[in-house]
Amino acid sequence: MVTAALHTAITIEGTVGLHYQIEYRTDLDNAATWHLLQDIPSLPGSPYVYFDPTPATSPRRFYR
């Protein structure tokens, strides 16, 4: 049996060594809250690719 799960890839192009955060929310309602997905205290390289561990079959997500 083979199971394949799709994950969203987020690419950050920034200054190596600086602090970055990836946040998400599930809708664009003005009252919606952004949630921390990943804290990157020191960007290890640029471009840097982060894979959201939430399968693509989950409700949609918006990132910043």
Side-chain angles (χ1 to χ4, degrees):
M1 176 179 188
V2 175
T3 302
L6 300 175
H7 296 278
T8 302
I10 300 151
T11 302
I12 298 174
E13 292 187 22
T15 304
V16 173
L18 290 185
H19 183 219
Y20 291 85
Q21 291 184 329
I22 301 170
E23 297 176 318
Y24 75 92
R25 57 199 241 187
T26 56
D27 65 49
L28 293 177
D29 180 357
N30 287 334
T33 301
W34 288 97
H35 304 280
L36 181 63
L37 177 63
Q38 179 66 38
D39 185 55
I40 307 164
S42 179
L43 191 67
S46 183
Y48 174 80
V49 179
Y50 174 80
F51 291 94
D52 183 348
T54 305
T57 56
S58 295
R60 66 183 177 196
R61 283 186 167 189
F62 301 91
Y63 301 93
R64 69 174 186 184

